[in-house]
Amino acid sequence: MEIKWQIVEHTLAHPFEISKGVYTHRTALILTLAQDDHHGYGEATEIPYYHIRLGRFIDLIQDNMRRLNAIRLKTPEQYFSHISPILGHEPFLLSAFDCAAHDLYGKINGCKIVDWFGYDRNLPTPITSFTIGLASLAEMQRKIKAQPWPFYKIKLAGREDLELLRGLRAVTDSPFIIDANEAWSIEQTQEYLPALTELNVVMVEQPVHRDHEHDLLKIKDRQIPLLAD
């Protein structure tokens, strides 16, 4: 197995705000796995608020290059089982290798990974969401109207969130996923759930700080699924 990477910087079309800050670009490690004249690609993005630094990833790859190069891809599961002991303490990097391995496996075997997984193509294709970052109500409304979509992820930060969502409902009936990026307390989460149901919110992602995720189990009456990512 040959392993290469490059660091790229993606400039965002618009400043992207979440509860952790405002971002104008994303820095990513693009990983390439090569075997038998085929190439598979994966990506890991630098995330400051999770202390994810690409320099640390590069050091880990270089320190273990001989071991990683010696692992040949037979199946994605087999490859994952071999790289997990080496990379498992860096799950974002492990994910990049796993994605690249799936891509590479499909190219080596001339198949689409969706078919290899056994997905029934007669079933409807899952709908992806379009993310609306934090901004003023007018700006978020403008972005929704500029990009009609069947499913939105709405970033929130604990600042008059219900009023904001009600304002967004004036411009779209599409279902919402809410991503608070750890900005809420358990009490806020529990208080908001009934109103969120009325606002056609179908899931709440990472409402509380990751150190308090287990406290979500205290919320027994869940009208909406809660996702801890």
Side-chain angles (χ1 to χ4, degrees), residues 171-209:
V171 295
T172 181
D173 293 325
S174 295
F176 290 159
I177 289 176
I178 297 307
D179 188 356
N181 287 111
E182 305 181 321
W184 294 352
S185 66
I186 289 291
E187 292 74 21
Q188 278 179 299
T189 304
Q190 192 157 19
E191 177 187 348
Y192 287 170
L193 285 178
L196 295 179
T197 302
E198 297 175 0
L199 290 166
N200 195 18
V201 173
V202 298
M203 187 173 72
V204 178
E205 181 179 346
Q206 200 62 45
V208 302
H209 192 277

Side-chain angles (χ1 to χ4, degrees), residues 10-125:
H10 302 296
T11 300
L12 305 181
H14 306 283
F16 182 67
E17 182 177 357
I18 64 173
S19 64
K20 305 292 186 181
V22 181
Y23 301 89
T24 57
H25 67 278
R26 286 294 193 188
T27 305
L29 181 148
I30 306 299
L31 177 74
T32 303
L33 300 182
Q35 181 175 296
D36 301 333
D37 296 322
H38 296 281
H39 298 80
Y41 301 96
E43 180 185 40
T45 305
E46 191 159 80
I47 309 177
Y49 54 86
Y50 281 147
H51 309 294
I52 303 301
R53 302 295 182 185
L54 300 184
R56 190 171 74 238
F57 290 174
I58 293 172
D59 289 343
L60 181 58
I61 296 171
Q62 290 176 329
D63 290 345
N64 293 277
M65 185 63 79
R66 181 175 297 180
R67 295 173 65 191
L68 292 168
N69 281 338
I71 303 172
R72 283 188 61 83
L73 172 67
K74 296 179 181 177
T75 67
E77 296 96 335
Q78 163 267 339
Y79 188 75
F80 187 85
S81 70
H82 282 82
I83 63 174
S84 290
I86 305 171
L87 307 175
H89 61 290
E90 293 285 5
F92 288 87
L93 181 60
L94 180 63
S95 175
F97 270 81
D98 188 39
C99 290
H102 278 81
D103 186 27
L104 178 59
Y105 181 85
K107 291 172 178 175
I108 289 174
N109 292 278
C111 68
K112 293 184 180 295
I113 287 297
V114 66
D115 295 327
W116 181 73
F117 279 137
Y119 182 77
D120 185 350
R121 291 193 176 225
N122 293 317
L123 295 174
T125 302

